[in-house]
């Protein structure tokens, strides 16, 4: 027969019989792992939750810091505009008062 010399050939019945035994072995392996599962799961969830909180804290801090910075910039611009506008008003008042005095 062609193929590897150490290769064994199985009939369909042998394969079906062996497949039943493999399923039984898989069920036994799953039962062995279940008692450790909740303790490992709790640890993983705590680690995951702490990372999630850390992420949330970083985002929150970034938003708060950005908000403070924007507020300071807005106040600075507002003050500049207020000073500019009050300067414009005084110039317009001075011009209008001088023109009225000249007419009198």
């Amino acid at each position: 027969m062609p193929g590897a010399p150490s290769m064994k050939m199985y009939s369909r019945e042998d394969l079906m019989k062996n497949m039943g035994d493999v399923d039984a072995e898989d069920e036994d392996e799953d039962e062995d792992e279940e008692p450790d599962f909740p303790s490992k799961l709790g640890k993983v969830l705590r680690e995951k939750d702490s990372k999630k909180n850390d992420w949330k804290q970083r985002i929150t801090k970034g938003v708060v810091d950005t908000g403070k910075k924007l507020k300071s910039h807005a106040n600075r611009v507002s003050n500049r505009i207020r000073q500019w506008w009050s300067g414009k008003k005084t110039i317009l008042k001075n011009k209008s008062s001088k023109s009225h005095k000249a007419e009198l």
Side-chain angles (χ1 to χ4, degrees):
M1 276 190 204
S6 63
M7 184 183 237
K8 295 181 181 179
M9 299 299 291
Y10 295 101
S11 67
R12 184 176 202 175
E13 292 81 29
D14 290 339
L15 290 174
M16 295 304 284
K17 179 182 164 192
N18 288 337
M19 289 299 287
D21 293 340
V22 171
D23 289 338
E25 289 176 8
D26 287 342
E27 290 174 5
D28 291 339
E29 290 176 7
D30 291 341
E31 290 174 6
D32 292 340
E33 294 177 11
E34 286 180 17
D36 296 336
F37 183 72
S39 65
K40 291 179 183 177
L41 179 65
K43 184 177 179 182
V44 169
L45 288 176
R46 280 192 297 274
E47 289 175 1
K48 192 174 186 179
D49 194 31
S50 68
K51 289 179 184 178
K52 191 175 186 180
N53 287 339
D54 184 44
W55 179 77
K56 285 181 182 178
Q57 288 172 351
R58 286 192 322 210
I59 297 295
T60 304
K61 185 180 182 304
V63 168
V64 169
D65 291 345
T66 303
K68 287 179 182 177
K69 199 66 137 168
L70 284 173
K71 187 174 181 179
S72 74
H73 286 298
N75 286 337
R76 189 176 299 152
V77 169
S78 176
N79 288 335
R80 288 281 189 184
I81 291 173
R82 190 178 316 119
Q83 289 172 355
W84 173 78
W85 188 250
S86 65
K88 281 282 197 182
K89 282 184 179 178
T90 56
I91 292 172
L92 289 174
K93 283 184 181 178
N94 289 340
K95 284 185 179 180
S96 64
S97 64
K98 288 181 182 178
S99 64
H100 287 299
K101 289 180 182 177
E103 291 177 8
L104 293 174

